[in-house]
Amino acid sequence: MSRTPAVTLNNGVSMPQLGFGVFQVPDAEAETTVATAIEAGYRSIDTATLYQNEAGTGRGIAASGLPREELFVTTKLWNTDQGYDSTLRAFDTSLAELGMDYVDLYLIHWPAPARGSYVDTWRAFERIHSEGRAKAIGVSNFQPAHLQRLFEASGIVPAVNQIELHPRLQQAELREFHAANGIATEAWGPLGRGKGLLDDPALTRVAGKHGVSPAQVALRWSVQLGTIVIPKSVTPSRIRENIHVFGFKLDEEDMAAIADMHTGVRIGPDPDTLS
Ligand code: NAD
């Protein structure tokens, strides 16, 4: 079993730097997949209302037998639930699905700016946080302009912005903006969803040099940038492989080779237009 280092969020809450994502894991499989991840040493699990597997995720966590406080659970509010009252209702539903009385981190999944609701949504998040039902609150897929609006409207700076981030989309400017404002960067899609990215010759060369896999290099790169990272897999051997990234270090030459892989091409939607 492997232990992961922690990152301290801007409200003092401690979050494991590497966690487990469950996007596209069917609810019926989530219980065993999450249990396998916890067995392998993951202590942070990332789900969302959109994934329709909060219930299975909750069952997997319960099945681990670990005390709730040893796990860090994130879920996200879906776009159609944005707005003050609808957010409060959606959060109650998420907690009921998870079978929990609090989450560690609650995120606005997308800014969906065309809806014009993310500031009202954030006010509901502040209330949920003040009630202790989310230990930390944050956002996902927010651009600097969206964050700036929250800063102007609210006293609480998001603890986290979870964004698409991998060697082909390195998000240097957004990471700098986060650092300047005390927001932790969390990388989704850190493996570029698998195939294309992991076959890249630069990654495979660095992997060969260290005797690790391209997936481990991509995750180690993210860790060395200082970001939180949440790879997903349903394959037990890969679940175990992906958490073993703390026993080797990329040197300057490796980091430079990976820096050269940036293309700026997204896998996911454009945060300015998705609604
Ligand atoms: P990912 O980059 O983690 O890729 C996962 C895929 O990579 C797997 O399905 C598998 O095909 C492959 N893979 C995994 N481990 C491997 C290994 N060791 N070797 C070879 N191939 C391997 O993609 P993701 O699931 O999109 O992102 C991770 C998590 O981020 C999600 O599960 C979810 O929790 C979160 N996420 C958030 C958002 C958001 O909008 N906030 C969007 C997408 C994903």
Side-chain angles (χ1 to χ4, degrees), residues 27 30-31 34 47 53-63 97-100:
D27 191 63
E31 178 174 345
V34 166
T47 182
N53 58 18
E54 288 170 310
T57 296
R59 286 194 302 273
I61 290 170
E97 289 285 309
L98 285 161
M100 294 175 185

Side-chain angles (χ1 to χ4, degrees), residues 171-182 185:
Q171 302 271 26
E173 277 176 35
L174 195 45
R175 283 190 282 117
E176 242 171 72
F177 184 88
H178 292 162
N181 290 284
T185 302

Side-chain angles (χ1 to χ4, degrees), residues 170-207:
Q170 301 191 6
Q171 302 271 26
E173 277 176 35
L174 195 45
R175 283 190 282 117
E176 242 171 72
F177 184 88
H178 292 162
N181 290 284
I183 300 170
T185 302
E186 182 173 17
W188 70 252
L191 303 173
R193 299 246 166 96
K195 266 220 155 309
L197 176 73
L198 300 181
D199 291 338
D200 187 283
L203 272 192
T204 47
R205 193 169 39 74
V206 175

